[in-house]
Amino acid sequence: QLQASGGGLVQAGGSLRLSCAASGFTFGDYAIGWFRQAPGKEREGVSCTITSDGRTYYGDSVKGRFSISSDGAKNTVYLQMDNLKPEDTDVYHCAAVEYKYCSNYGSIVGGMDYWGKGTQVTVSS
């Protein structure tokens, strides 16, 4: 089970920090990815991290603005989002991702064995 939280309304240029709390599976057995998808919209991979060794990957649209990190003691992954833009408005979800899909997650959102309900992020201009 994965639970995303931390979304909200922010002005363009602002920041938000999302959290993803994982339970019900061995945290280190999977990478954890963030994707965004609102109802009726296309799914887009945002970022992915291999929690066992700290490797991180980002989609092109968020590189340099978003940062993913993990806390193994809390089974939690964070997504720090800075310099937010109106086009970042979406519903953000986290997922347990098979390792081989993590490095290309920004292009191909695949290998997700578990994901949870998302959190809404709205960026006003």
CSV table of all heavy atoms in Angstrom, one decimal, residues 41-64:
chain,number,residue,atom,x,y,z
A,41,LYS,N,-6.5,12.6,-18.3
A,41,LYS,CA,-5.2,13.1,-18.9
A,41,LYS,C,-4.2,11.9,-19.0
A,41,LYS,O,-4.4,10.9,-18.4
A,41,LYS,CB,-4.7,14.2,-18.0
A,41,LYS,CG,-5.4,15.5,-18.1
A,41,LYS,CD,-4.8,16.6,-17.2
A,41,LYS,CE,-3.4,16.9,-17.5
A,41,LYS,NZ,-2.9,18.0,-16.7
A,42,GLU,N,-3.2,12.2,-19.8
A,42,GLU,CA,-2.2,11.2,-20.0
A,42,GLU,C,-1.3,11.1,-18.7
A,42,GLU,O,-1.0,12.1,-18.0
A,42,GLU,CB,-1.3,11.6,-21.2
A,42,GLU,CG,-0.5,10.5,-21.8
A,42,GLU,CD,0.1,11.0,-23.1
A,42,GLU,OE1,-0.6,11.5,-23.9
A,42,GLU,OE2,1.3,10.7,-23.3
A,43,ARG,N,-0.8,9.9,-18.5
A,43,ARG,CA,0.1,9.6,-17.4
A,43,ARG,C,1.5,10.1,-17.8
A,43,ARG,O,2.0,9.8,-18.9
A,43,ARG,CB,0.1,8.2,-17.1
A,43,ARG,CG,0.9,7.7,-15.9
A,43,ARG,CD,0.8,6.3,-15.6
A,43,ARG,NE,-0.6,5.9,-15.2
A,43,ARG,CZ,-1.0,4.7,-15.0
A,43,ARG,NH1,-0.2,3.7,-15.3
A,43,ARG,NH2,-2.2,4.5,-14.5
A,44,GLU,N,2.2,10.7,-16.8
A,44,GLU,CA,3.6,11.2,-17.0
A,44,GLU,C,4.5,10.8,-15.9
A,44,GLU,O,4.2,11.1,-14.7
A,44,GLU,CB,3.6,12.7,-17.2
A,44,GLU,CG,5.0,13.3,-17.4
A,44,GLU,CD,5.1,14.8,-17.5
A,44,GLU,OE1,4.0,15.5,-17.3
A,44,GLU,OE2,6.2,15.4,-17.7
A,45,GLY,N,5.6,10.1,-16.2
A,45,GLY,CA,6.5,9.8,-15.2
A,45,GLY,C,7.3,11.1,-14.7
A,45,GLY,O,7.7,11.8,-15.5
A,46,VAL,N,7.4,11.2,-13.4
A,46,VAL,CA,8.1,12.4,-12.9
A,46,VAL,C,9.5,12.1,-12.4
A,46,VAL,O,10.5,12.7,-12.7
A,46,VAL,CB,7.2,13.0,-11.7
A,46,VAL,CG1,7.9,14.2,-11.1
A,46,VAL,CG2,5.9,13.5,-12.3
A,47,SER,N,9.6,11.1,-11.5
A,47,SER,CA,10.8,10.8,-10.9
A,47,SER,C,10.8,9.4,-10.3
A,47,SER,O,9.7,8.8,-10.1
A,47,SER,CB,11.2,11.8,-9.8
A,47,SER,OG,12.4,11.5,-9.2
A,48,CYS,N,12.0,8.8,-10.1
A,48,CYS,CA,12.1,7.4,-9.6
A,48,CYS,C,13.4,7.3,-8.8
A,48,CYS,O,14.4,7.9,-9.2
A,48,CYS,CB,12.0,6.4,-10.7
A,48,CYS,SG,11.9,4.7,-10.1
A,49,THR,N,13.3,6.6,-7.7
A,49,THR,CA,14.5,6.3,-7.0
A,49,THR,C,14.7,4.9,-6.6
A,49,THR,O,13.7,4.2,-6.2
A,49,THR,CB,14.6,7.2,-5.7
A,49,THR,OG1,15.8,7.0,-5.0
A,49,THR,CG2,13.4,6.9,-4.7
A,50,ILE,N,15.9,4.4,-6.7
A,50,ILE,CA,16.2,3.0,-6.2
A,50,ILE,C,16.6,3.2,-4.7
A,50,ILE,O,17.7,3.7,-4.5
A,50,ILE,CB,17.3,2.3,-7.0
A,50,ILE,CG1,16.7,2.2,-8.5
A,50,ILE,CG2,17.7,1.0,-6.4
A,50,ILE,CD1,17.6,1.6,-9.4
A,51,THR,N,15.7,2.9,-3.8
A,51,THR,CA,15.9,3.2,-2.4
A,51,THR,C,17.1,2.5,-1.8
A,51,THR,O,17.7,3.0,-0.8
A,51,THR,CB,14.7,2.9,-1.6
A,51,THR,OG1,14.3,1.5,-1.8
A,51,THR,CG2,13.5,3.7,-2.1
A,52,SER,N,17.5,1.3,-2.4
A,52,SER,CA,18.6,0.6,-1.7
A,52,SER,C,19.9,1.2,-1.9
A,52,SER,O,20.8,1.0,-1.1
A,52,SER,CB,18.6,-0.9,-2.3
A,52,SER,OG,18.7,-0.8,-3.7
A,53,ASP,N,20.1,2.0,-3.0
A,53,ASP,CA,21.4,2.6,-3.2
A,53,ASP,C,21.4,4.1,-3.5
A,53,ASP,O,22.4,4.8,-3.8
A,53,ASP,CB,22.2,1.9,-4.3
A,53,ASP,CG,21.5,2.0,-5.7
A,53,ASP,OD1,20.6,2.8,-5.9
A,53,ASP,OD2,21.9,1.3,-6.6
A,54,GLY,N,20.2,4.7,-3.5
A,54,GLY,CA,20.0,6.1,-3.7
A,54,GLY,C,20.0,6.7,-5.1
A,54,GLY,O,20.0,7.9,-5.3
A,55,ARG,N,20.1,5.8,-6.1
A,55,ARG,CA,20.1,6.4,-7.5
A,55,ARG,C,18.7,7.0,-7.7
A,55,ARG,O,17.7,6.6,-7.3
A,55,ARG,CB,20.3,5.2,-8.5
A,55,ARG,CG,21.8,4.8,-8.6
A,55,ARG,CD,21.9,3.7,-9.6
A,55,ARG,NE,21.5,2.4,-9.1
A,55,ARG,CZ,21.4,1.3,-9.8
A,55,ARG,NH1,21.6,1.3,-11.1
A,55,ARG,NH2,21.1,0.2,-9.2
A,56,THR,N,18.8,8.1,-8.5
A,56,THR,CA,17.6,8.9,-8.8
A,56,THR,C,17.5,9.2,-10.2
A,56,THR,O,18.5,9.4,-10.9
A,56,THR,CB,17.6,10.2,-8.0
A,56,THR,OG1,18.7,11.0,-8.3
A,56,THR,CG2,17.6,10.0,-6.5
A,57,TYR,N,16.3,9.3,-10.7
A,57,TYR,CA,16.0,9.6,-12.1
A,57,TYR,C,14.9,10.6,-12.2
A,57,TYR,O,14.0,10.6,-11.4
A,57,TYR,CB,15.7,8.3,-12.9
A,57,TYR,CG,16.8,7.3,-12.7
A,57,TYR,CD1,16.7,6.3,-11.7
A,57,TYR,CD2,17.9,7.2,-13.6
A,57,TYR,CE1,17.6,5.3,-11.6
A,57,TYR,CE2,18.9,6.3,-13.4
A,57,TYR,CZ,18.7,5.3,-12.4
A,57,TYR,OH,19.7,4.4,-12.2
A,58,TYR,N,14.9,11.4,-13.3
A,58,TYR,CA,13.9,12.5,-13.4
A,58,TYR,C,13.4,12.6,-14.9
A,58,TYR,O,14.2,12.4,-15.8
A,58,TYR,CB,14.4,13.8,-13.0
A,58,TYR,CG,14.9,13.9,-11.6
A,58,TYR,CD1,16.2,13.6,-11.2
A,58,TYR,CD2,14.0,14.1,-10.5
A,58,TYR,CE1,16.6,13.6,-9.9
A,58,TYR,CE2,14.4,14.2,-9.2
A,58,TYR,CZ,15.7,13.9,-8.9
A,58,TYR,OH,16.1,13.9,-7.6
A,59,GLY,N,12.1,12.9,-15.0
A,59,GLY,CA,11.6,13.3,-16.3
A,59,GLY,C,12.2,14.6,-16.8
A,59,GLY,O,12.5,15.5,-15.9
A,60,ASP,N,12.3,14.8,-18.1
A,60,ASP,CA,12.9,16.0,-18.6
A,60,ASP,C,12.2,17.3,-18.1
A,60,ASP,O,12.8,18.3,-17.9
A,60,ASP,CB,12.9,16.0,-20.1
A,60,ASP,CG,13.9,15.0,-20.7
A,60,ASP,OD1,14.8,14.6,-19.9
A,60,ASP,OD2,13.7,14.6,-21.8
A,61,SER,N,10.9,17.3,-18.0
A,61,SER,CA,10.1,18.5,-17.6
A,61,SER,C,10.3,18.9,-16.2
A,61,SER,O,10.0,20.1,-15.9
A,61,SER,CB,8.6,18.2,-17.9
A,61,SER,OG,8.1,17.2,-17.0
A,62,VAL,N,10.9,18.1,-15.3
A,62,VAL,CA,11.1,18.5,-13.9
A,62,VAL,C,12.6,18.5,-13.5
A,62,VAL,O,12.9,18.9,-12.4
A,62,VAL,CB,10.3,17.5,-13.0
A,62,VAL,CG1,8.9,17.5,-13.4
A,62,VAL,CG2,10.9,16.1,-13.0
A,63,LYS,N,13.5,18.1,-14.4
A,63,LYS,CA,14.9,18.1,-14.1
A,63,LYS,C,15.4,19.5,-13.6
A,63,LYS,O,15.0,20.5,-14.2
A,63,LYS,CB,15.7,17.7,-15.3
A,63,LYS,CG,15.8,16.2,-15.4
A,63,LYS,CD,16.7,15.8,-16.6
A,63,LYS,CE,16.6,14.3,-16.9
A,63,LYS,NZ,17.3,13.9,-18.2
A,64,GLY,N,16.1,19.5,-12.5
A,64,GLY,CA,16.6,20.8,-12.0
A,64,GLY,C,15.6,21.5,-11.1
A,64,GLY,O,16.0,22.5,-10.4
